[in-house]
Amino acid sequence: QAMIRNLARWLDSKLNRVARGRGILRLRGAIVAIVVVGIAGSAGYGLELLALRIQPGGLVYVGTLLFLIGLRRPVGTMRRTLAALRAGDDTLAASRASALVRFDIRGGDRHAVARAAVEGGAARAVEGLFATIFWFLILGLPGACVHRGLGAAADAIGRVSPRHADFGFAVARLNDVLSLPGALIAGPVLSIAALFCPGASFWRALGGWARDLAMRGVETGYRAEGAVAGAFGLALGGPRRFDGQTVEGSWIGDGRARVEIVDVRRAVFLIAIAALLVSLA
């Protein structure tokens, strides 16, 4: 994934010329998407062939799938952000939480950082856990690798910033389409997980997910965060900053935007329970 991310950044530096027209930039971005799909799909196909030829091939499937899911990274980042917030170091917390989101949060107060940590952690869980497993079950390792490869490329160029709105359009939209099945599955699972999480509500989580799906299901970046927002009575999303400019964004949930440290801790617990439920399924 790091290789794909670095490749996307390199292609961005070579092909993304703001002076070019919108159509040209979208075409070039589509070429980047094709390259990413080709590389990731080929890697997945190669691993699939390897699994069929060695004994025991199941270790290749399990090892690759666990690597692609990588849930420890976002959860670990949330916990490190939480530790920095508890220590009162908002700058360090923002630096850590920035790995979870695709917008700028440096300079925000602790509530903005906590909100980004909850929203970003939920989105990463949906992409990494639910959507990856879905595509593995449907298309095997090639499907899972393509999904995660596009996610890595979207981290680099799939932002709705003035620079990447057109060049990263194809990568971002493909990533959104492949993540949608995972988001549809994640909402009910996260809602059930809320039954076992202190301070969370099953009905608010399910209702928040349903409202979020109705409002943003076809929009950029939909990752079922409404379930987490509803579970704890929060409002995630809202305006974001990209390259020094503020871009309007939809609010997710109708609760409080002043997300607290305790909400980050609860969100970590909720995601962990959801992952446990998936592993038991």
Side-chain angles (χ1 to χ4, degrees):
Q1 296 178 61
M3 184 194 73
I4 294 291
R5 199 174 293 113
N6 291 333
L7 173 63
R9 291 192 179 108
W10 181 78
L11 291 172
D12 178 44
S13 68
K14 298 298 181 181
L15 300 177
N16 189 4
R17 298 289 183 263
V18 180
R20 297 288 184 178
R22 184 179 187 185
I24 294 298
L25 289 177
R26 289 202 171 189
L27 177 60
R28 291 184 175 186
I31 293 173
V32 174
I34 293 171
V35 170
V36 170
V37 169
I39 292 174
S42 298
Y45 182 69
L47 289 168
E48 190 110 335
L49 289 179
L50 178 64
L52 294 173
R53 292 183 179 182
I54 68 171
Q55 294 294 334
L59 291 178
V60 176
Y61 283 108
V62 172
T64 303
L65 190 59
L66 289 175
F67 173 78
L68 292 173
I69 291 173
L71 195 59
R72 290 182 60 184
R73 288 190 289 273
V75 171
T77 301
M78 291 178 73
R79 294 180 65 182
R80 288 191 293 273
T81 302
L82 178 60
L85 287 171
R86 283 174 170 168
D89 193 338
D90 294 349
T91 301
L92 178 60
S95 177
R96 290 175 173 175
S98 64
L100 296 170
V101 295
R102 293 169 182 164
F103 52 90
D104 302 331
I105 60 173
R106 290 181 175 84
D109 62 18
R110 65 185 181 90
H111 300 293
V113 174
R115 185 168 65 247
V118 172
E119 179 184 344
R124 296 288 176 174
V126 170
E127 277 195 5
L129 178 62
F130 295 96
T132 300
I133 291 177
F134 174 85
W135 288 111
F136 173 75
L137 294 175
I138 299 298
L139 297 175
L141 290 179
C145 286
V146 166
H147 164 63
R148 294 302 280 158
L150 283 169
D155 284 342
I157 64 172
R159 296 155 32 110
V160 291
S161 63
R163 174 175 174 81
H164 293 117
D166 292 318
F167 184 74
F169 178 81
V171 165
R173 293 308 289 162
L174 277 174
N175 182 225
D176 290 340
V177 169
L178 294 186
S179 296
L180 182 59
L184 296 177
I185 298 168
V189 176
L190 288 166
S191 299
I192 294 172
L195 291 170
F196 307 95
C197 182
S201 167
F202 167 80
W203 291 112
R204 288 202 309 264
L206 192 62
W209 168 73
R211 287 191 298 273
D212 188 28
L213 175 62
M215 293 177 59
R216 298 194 311 125
V218 297
E219 291 186 10
T220 298
Y222 172 72
R223 298 295 184 274
E225 302 97 323
V228 179
F232 303 115
L234 304 176
L236 306 175
R240 279 86 181 279
R241 290 186 63 79
F242 296 94
D243 305 324
Q245 300 183 44
T246 300
V247 177
E248 293 299 320
S250 302
W251 285 100
I252 306 169
D254 54 4
R256 53 186 168 82
R258 292 173 65 85
V259 179
E260 303 290 349
I261 294 175
V262 66
D263 297 314
V264 181
R265 178 177 59 80
R266 288 172 176 169
V268 170
F269 191 55
L270 181 69
I271 292 170
I273 294 175
L276 179 60
L277 292 175
V278 171
S279 67
L280 294 175

